[in-house]
């Protein structure tokens, strides 16, 4: 998502952001990214040994399968409900239509893209990072500049799904399946998260990049020689800064702590 937003913005600045060009560039970077991952990161992460709980060594019993089934049922119910909420409030909450979607319209429409950072629209925070607006504008451009609100809703739910999956995966890796399912259901019971996910806010993408950064730093701590894992951690911290201003503080804190340790 972060790479997609950056590439789209570069194409928009260059005046080449046609649907065909966007697709060509995306195919090329996906191929390049998959190649790099297979040659470097994927090989290194296989050597990383993470803490394994006794419960994880015991294998999958009936209780763990029951927890997995419970998590999948709860997750399915939550996803359906969030889709319903998103469809019922396509414009999103205040920040969605006053900031993120508003900025996306300048990036996607037949306007001068520089307006998105103009001080003339100071009431809409032109200084805010552009990951979320660029992703929305990217979807609108691919749709032929049809500025349907279904796209920001879909992006918000995509990040919610990714955040849930990442949390469960990390907990399963370090604590086992049972704690992972319980942790996942606790996440799905978070009222603020369930409010912001369909509201088209950037808080859920920000949380995803926070968690991704910390996960990669955990992997790097288990295998300090894995330079590519550390590089991806830095990229995710940068993506957090590219998502929201709070992300800049997070990235600076991560860098300072890493240099201090």
């Amino acid at each position: 998502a972060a790479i997609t937003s950056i590439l789209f913005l570069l194409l928009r600045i260059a005046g080449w952001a046609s649907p065909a060009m966007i697709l060509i560039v995306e195919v090329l970077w996906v191929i390049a990214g998959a190649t790099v991952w297979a040659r470097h990161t994927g090989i290194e992460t296989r050597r990383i040994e993470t803490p394994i709980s006794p419960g994880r060594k015991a294998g999958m019993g009936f209780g763990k399968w029951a927890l997995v089934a419970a998590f999948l049922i709860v997750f399915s119910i939550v996803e359906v409900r969030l889709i319903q909420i998103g469809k019922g409030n396509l414009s999103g909450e205040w920040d969605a239509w006053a900031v993120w979607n508003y900025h996306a319209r300048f990036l996607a429409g037949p306007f001068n893209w520089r307006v998105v950072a103009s001080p003339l629209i100071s009431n809409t925070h032109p200084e805010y990072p552009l990951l979320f607006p660029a992703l929305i504008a990217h979807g609108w451009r691919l749709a032929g500049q049809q500025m349907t609100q279904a796209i920001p809703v879909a992006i918000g739910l995509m990040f919610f799904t990714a955040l849930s999956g990442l949390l469960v995966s990390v907990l399963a890796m370090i604590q086992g399946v049972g704690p992972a399912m319980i942790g996942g259901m606790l996440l799905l019971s978070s009222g603020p998260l369930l409010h912001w996910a369909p509201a088209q806010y950037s808080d859920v993408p920000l949380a995803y990049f926070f968690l991704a950064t910390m996960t990669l730093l955990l992997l790097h701590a288990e295998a300090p020689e894995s330079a590519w894992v550390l590089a991806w951690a830095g990229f995710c911290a940068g993506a957090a800064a590219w998502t929201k201003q709070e992300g800049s503080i997070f990235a600076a804190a991560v860098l300072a702590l890493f240099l201090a340790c």
Side-chain angles (χ1 to χ4, degrees), residues 153-245:
V153 171
I155 293 173
L157 295 182
M158 175 194 72
F159 272 107
F160 169 79
T161 303
L163 176 63
S164 303
L166 180 58
L167 177 68
V168 168
S169 299
V170 173
L171 290 177
M173 179 179 65
I174 63 177
Q175 291 296 328
V177 174
M181 297 303 107
I182 294 173
M185 286 187 282
L186 288 174
L187 179 72
L188 296 176
S189 68
S190 172
L193 175 65
L194 300 182
H195 174 73
W196 299 130
Q200 305 173 34
Y201 275 32
S202 62
D203 298 80
V204 178
L206 184 67
Y208 172 81
F209 289 119
F210 280 1
L211 181 58
T213 302
M214 301 309 295
T215 300
L216 290 164
L217 289 176
L218 171 64
L219 295 176
H220 177 71
E222 296 297 326
E225 73 280 2
S226 56
W228 277 93
V229 175
L230 181 61
W232 279 113
F235 177 82
C236 288
W242 179 232
T243 303
K244 204 174 182 185
Q245 287 180 315

Side-chain angles (χ1 to χ4, degrees), residues 70-88:
F71 170 76
L72 292 176
I73 291 171
V74 172
F75 180 76
S76 300
I77 294 173
V78 169
E79 281 281 1
V80 170
R81 183 54 182 156
L82 292 182
I83 291 172
Q84 293 174 337
I85 294 173
K87 291 173 63 177

Side-chain angles (χ1 to χ4, degrees), residues 20 31-33 43 52-53 71 106 126 135 150 159 161 169 180 191 205 220 225 238 257:
I31 294 174
I43 295 173
I52 301 177
S53 67
F71 170 76
F106 289 113
L135 277 180
F159 272 107
T161 303
S169 299
H220 177 71
E225 73 280 2
L257 289 173

